[in-house]
Amino acid sequence: MTTNLLDYDLQGLTAYCEQLGEKRFRATQLFRWIHHKGATDFEQMTDLARSLREKLVGTSRVQGPKVVSRHDSADGTIKWLFDVGAGDVIETVFIPEADRGTLCISSQAGCAMGCRFCSTGHQGFSRNLTTGEIISQLWFAEHFLRQHLGREERVISNVVMMGMGEPLQNYSQLLPALKVMLDDHGYGLSRRRVTVSTSGVVPMIDRLARDCPVALAVSLHAPEDVLRDNLVPLNKKYPIAELLQACTRYQAAAPRDFITFEYCMLDGVNDQPEHARQLVSLMQAHATHGLSCKFNLIPFNPFPASGLTRSEMPQVVAFAKILMEAGIVTTVRKTRGDDIDAACGQLAGDVQDRTGVDRRMAAQRQGMLRGIKVVVVNRSEV
Ligand code: SAH
Ligand code: SF4
């Protein structure tokens, strides 16, 4: 079996080339061919010495993901399903906007965290993705889109680790993938434009701060432990106070001066004014230790097995107002690609038929929100 070069960050590729008896700078050239140009054929890499190209042909390959299908949404969102073997399928979503292109990447096949409101969580855990499987989602999407759109320059400007899986439960494979995203010889994304979203794996938040401090989004979903235990079972291991302390420590290294908290709005469960007031007190208590936060309210994307429903928009707006009046920057996330089941938490392929209700609600929502100045944003604006 040959080695898939997509499994390496630049440091790893350098070590690999040295093993082949090559100089370090050859690794940089090779890395650029792979990630800047999307090349898979070593013969095409004309500035590499013929002897190296011959060595590579016998030992190595650049193997992208196996595409199962592509779905194009009316709003420009594109979702790919990739086959990662043994019946496992993962999803990657591209969200275009006027000023940016965001790719939402998966880190695991399934997820072991079992959050009640998440379709991937209901599916259970299958396995960790390899570095190659993580980065090849970006490699594939970037080069596909350049060709598709006829563009020479970069299309994807932001990456969010918000697809399937808990990225911080797959840390060893995630880290080199993040390095490739940030590397100027790779994708050259700034730390602010790469976001790791986590349900709260406290020790790994500290490691990320040390090893590769990118933007951090934390899936909070509840203002107190009893409710959060129920929605995000990981909370029993790392309760809210510990999680927020880790966030405060992270901030010292973070590329942005705030941590984003994601909060999925579940009708009658966590969306009452009382919950908002509890959140305000919680955040104020941690602010005194130096935590500064931003909230991103996510309208719940329903799926039958959850038994949960989406909060009505007036409820979301009232909730946002309480946070904002307390001085907490709050946005409401716009649902993108829901006609192709590419919305947050739906990435498992197992979603019910959609009626026009969602679209009507979305239109209504936009109208209501305009009046009261709650900003509706995309997943990219975490
Ligand atoms: N495991 C990581 C990242 C993947 S989930 C995490 O939990 O943060 C990305 C985001 O989608 C999380 O904030 C998650 O809480 C949210 N999400 C999950 N299911 C959802 C659903 N059904 N509707 C809306 N958001 C959902
Ligand atoms: Fe896993 Fe995140 Fe879904 Fe929870 S919300 S089950 S951590 S993917």
Side-chain angles (χ1 to χ4, degrees):
M1 189 68 167
T2 54
T3 301
N4 187 4
L5 301 184
L6 287 172
D7 275 318
Y8 294 127
D9 60 9
L10 184 53
Q11 201 186 349
L13 193 64
T14 304
Y16 182 74
C17 285
E18 280 176 336
Q19 268 175 30
L20 294 178
E22 294 291 331
K23 297 240 161 53
R24 299 174 71 89
F25 78 94
R26 292 289 177 206
T28 307
Q29 282 180 311
L30 181 55
F31 195 75
R32 291 172 68 96
W33 271 109
I34 297 169
H35 294 289
H36 277 189
K37 298 216 169 66
T40 53
D41 180 1
F42 298 122
E43 286 309 321
Q44 213 187 321
M45 305 180 184
T46 42
D47 59 355
L48 295 185
R50 172 154 299 280
S51 60
L52 171 57
R53 278 186 270 156
E54 278 164 8
K55 265 186 236 171
L56 289 171
V57 169
T59 55
S60 322
R61 68 190 193 285
V62 180
Q63 191 187 326
K66 211 187 277 173
V67 182
V68 177
S69 59
R70 188 183 105 214
H71 305 263
D72 295 359
S73 162
D75 68 13
T77 302
I78 301 175
K79 177 177 85 169
W80 288 275
L81 283 144
F82 298 121
D83 177 357
V84 291
D88 286 324
V89 171
I90 58 157
E91 305 196 355
T92 305
V93 180
F94 174 67
I95 307 152
E97 287 165 87
D99 61 340
R100 75 186 80 189
T102 302
L103 196 69
C104 179
I105 289 184
S106 295
S107 57
Q108 299 181 311
C111 182
M113 298 293 104
C115 301
R116 264 183 62 196
F117 49 84
C118 174
S119 172
T120 310
H122 279 249
Q123 194 187 42
F125 178 65
S126 186
R127 69 171 175 87
N128 280 326
L129 298 184
T130 62
T131 295
E133 287 166 335
I134 297 172
I135 201 63
S136 70
Q137 297 170 62
L138 174 58
W139 175 85
F140 174 84
E142 174 65 32
H143 297 292
F144 169 87
L145 289 165
R146 277 192 211 175
Q147 220 170 23
H148 190 64
L149 304 171
R151 278 174 46 182
E152 302 253 308
E153 75 279 23
R154 187 165 73 182
V155 179
I156 295 164
S157 59
N158 296 57
V159 168
V160 293
M161 297 300 308
M162 291 187 188
M164 295 168 77
E166 169 48 59
L168 295 187
Q169 288 285 84
N170 185 16
Y171 190 77
S172 64
Q173 299 298 309
L174 173 73
L175 189 61
L178 293 177
K179 297 250 163 92
V180 178
M181 293 174 200
L182 302 178
D183 200 314
D184 282 337
H185 300 297
Y187 297 87
L189 301 179
S190 88
R191 289 177 189 282
R192 308 162 57 86
R193 289 173 174 267
V194 175
T195 301
V196 168
S197 175
T198 180
S199 54
V201 190
V202 164
M204 293 300 147
I205 292 177
D206 287 320
R207 285 195 57 184
L208 190 66
R210 230 177 34 228
D211 298 338
C212 192
V214 292
L216 185 68
V218 171
S219 297
L220 193 61
H221 309 309
E224 45 85 15
D225 284 321
V226 175
L227 182 56
R228 193 164 191 270
D229 283 350
N230 183 274
L231 295 174
V232 183
L234 184 68
N235 195 65
K236 294 179 197 142
K237 195 161 180 194
Y238 305 115
I240 293 174
E242 278 183 39
L243 176 57
L244 297 187
Q245 282 157 18
C247 292
T248 309
R249 293 192 293 275
Y250 193 87
Q251 229 172 265
R256 296 177 174 177
D257 51 12
F258 58 86
I259 305 289
T260 303
F261 291 95
E262 297 166 279
Y263 196 100
C264 182
M265 298 293 287
L266 303 164
D267 186 30
V269 175
N270 65 355
D271 65 344
Q272 300 300 301
E274 182 51 27
H275 296 121
R277 286 192 285 270
Q278 280 178 297
L279 268 186
V280 168
S281 322
L282 182 69
M283 291 299 150
Q284 281 170 347
H286 285 267
T288 59
H289 301 289
L291 179 62
S292 78
C293 64
K294 185 184 143 181
F295 268 79
N296 195 201
L297 307 181
I298 314 173
F300 171 57
N301 293 307
F303 59 101
S306 70
L308 298 161
T309 47
R310 177 186 284 189
S311 306
E312 297 286 344
M313 230 351 142
Q315 196 69 32
V316 177
V317 167
F319 197 96
K321 274 184 97 172
I322 295 173
L323 298 183
M324 289 191 297
E325 274 160 18
I328 298 175
V329 176
T330 306
T331 52
V332 177
R333 184 176 297 168
K334 183 154 72 181
T335 295
R336 291 285 301 260
D338 54 358
D339 54 341
I340 55 166
D341 291 334
C344 308
Q346 292 186 322
L347 305 184
D350 175 28
V351 187
Q352 90 277 39
D353 279 353
R354 296 194 150 256
T355 64
V357 173
D358 256 1
R359 268 184 294 281
R360 283 200 298 281
M361 271 180 56
Q364 212 180 354
R365 190 156 75 219
Q366 300 284 349
M368 275 185 297
L369 292 170
R370 222 168 285 134
I372 73 139
K373 292 209 185 77
V374 175
V375 185
V376 184
V377 299
N378 284 313
R379 226 174 301 185
S380 55
E381 295 164 63
V382 280

